[in-house]
């Protein structure tokens, strides 16, 4: 399940192309570079897309800017190559391949300690991905969560851009945008931030609340349907 690994559970304990050719000893269907993007034939792509380029040296400097043009307003994102080079490489590849165009952000959460908008699944179900996976690049500098006696949880600050996953090293295409400071174990790769203009759009979506559903009043589709009409790299 390509979600925040079941947010309700997390609150309690608490996603040049082409066919990759693996190096000797590498897993079949894995790119030969340091990122090792690996095809997942048992979990095929929700929208056809090749494996990302995986050069010998993954770019690890700079802050590319991507615009998510949504029907609720613009959501500019500033990526961080140094913090998560392989994640940034994959995300820019999916933008370039138009993987995110004409997709719907399928999940909004409004728990007291988890407030995010989740996007990146062309199927709109929360189950879809790009047909490949890659390893985590987990954050190491997030501040400790307040009032957590275990010291295990961290604060993902408002405006954080991070990858959703279904467990260790299962990153694909789904990502989440933190609308207010949220408490999670540091199990989700952080690879950028939302600009102030993007936060204004996210605030509008969050204020609209959760669409009525039989499962939860705090977790579900946004009442204000939020479609990514176009994802475009600006810089």
């Amino acid at each position: 399940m390509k979600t925040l690994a079941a947010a309700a559970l997390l609150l309690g304990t608490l996603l040049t192309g082409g066919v990759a050719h693996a190096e000797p000893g590498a897993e079949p269907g894995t790119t030969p570079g340091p990122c090792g993007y690996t095809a997942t034939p048992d979990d095929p792509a929700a929208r056809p897309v090749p494996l990302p380029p995986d050069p010998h040296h993954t770019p690890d400097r700079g802050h590319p800017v991507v615009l998510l043009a949504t029907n609720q307003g613009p959501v500019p994102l500033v990526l961080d190559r140094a913090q998560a080079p392989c994640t940034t490489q994959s995300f820019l590849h999916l933008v370039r391949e138009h993987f995110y165009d004409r997709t719907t952000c399928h999940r909004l959460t409004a728990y007291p300690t988890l407030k995010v908008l989740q996007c990146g699944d062309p199927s709109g179900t929360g189950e879809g991905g790009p047909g490949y996976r890659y390893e985590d690049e987990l954050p190491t500098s997030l501040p400790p969560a307040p009032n957590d006696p275990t010291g295990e949880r961290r604060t993902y600050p408002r405006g954080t851009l991070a990858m959703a996953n279904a467990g260790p090293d299962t990153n694909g295409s789904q990502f989440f945008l933190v609308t207010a400071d949220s408490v999670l174990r540091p199990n989700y790769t952080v690879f950028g931030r939302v600009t102030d203009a993007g936060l204004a759009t996210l605030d509008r979506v969050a204020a609209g609340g959760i669409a009525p559903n039989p499962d939860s009043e705090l977790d579900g589709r946004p009442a204000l349907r939020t479609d990514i009409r176009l994802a475009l790299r600006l810089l």
Side-chain angles (χ1 to χ4, degrees):
M1 179 179 179
K2 301 297 190 300
T3 67
L4 292 178
L9 176 60
L10 284 167
L11 289 169
T13 63
L14 223 197
L15 199 134
T16 58
V19 177
H21 298 282
E23 292 180 329
E27 187 174 346
T30 299
T31 58
C35 293
Y37 303 110
T38 300
T40 55
D42 293 336
D43 186 14
R47 178 178 289 174
V49 65
L51 294 177
D54 192 4
H56 177 70
H57 174 70
T58 308
D60 58 3
R61 295 184 180 182
H63 295 84
V65 177
V66 169
L67 172 65
L68 304 181
T70 84
N71 61 317
Q72 300 297 339
V75 181
L77 308 173
V78 180
L79 311 187
D80 188 341
R81 286 190 185 273
Q83 190 171 24
C86 292
T87 302
T88 301
Q89 179 85 348
S90 173
F91 190 80
L92 291 174
H93 166 70
L94 294 173
V95 168
R96 185 169 56 250
E97 293 289 329
H98 305 287
F99 185 86
Y100 293 124
D101 296 358
R102 303 178 308 282
T103 61
T104 298
C105 294
H106 59 275
R107 186 181 188 194
L108 181 68
T109 65
Y111 295 101
T113 58
L114 182 66
K115 299 181 186 296
V116 305
L117 177 68
Q118 189 165 326
C119 313
D121 171 13
S123 76
T125 64
E127 299 290 337
Y132 64 85
R133 59 174 173 81
Y134 56 96
E135 294 182 359
D136 298 321
E137 297 171 294
L138 298 179
T140 58
S141 59
L142 294 174
N147 304 319
D148 177 15
T150 69
E152 295 177 353
R153 294 174 177 79
R154 295 291 182 268
T155 297
Y156 280 64
R158 168 174 160 85
T160 297
L161 168 65
M163 292 302 297
N165 63 54
D169 302 327
T170 59
N171 300 288
S173 63
Q174 291 190 41
F175 59 93
F176 61 94
L177 311 164
V178 181
T179 62
D181 288 1
S182 295
V183 174
L184 292 164
R185 295 180 185 274
N187 296 341
Y188 304 93
T189 297
V190 174
F191 67 106
R193 62 179 176 84
V194 184
T195 69
D196 289 344
L199 286 172
T201 298
L202 295 182
D203 288 344
R204 185 179 308 114
V205 175
I210 312 294
N213 69 83
D215 298 320
S216 174
E217 296 179 352
L218 300 175
D219 189 346
R221 293 184 176 276
L224 292 180
R225 179 179 170 123
T226 304
D227 297 330
I228 299 174
R229 293 172 171 168
L230 176 68
L232 177 67
R233 180 175 177 177
L234 300 180
L235 180 67

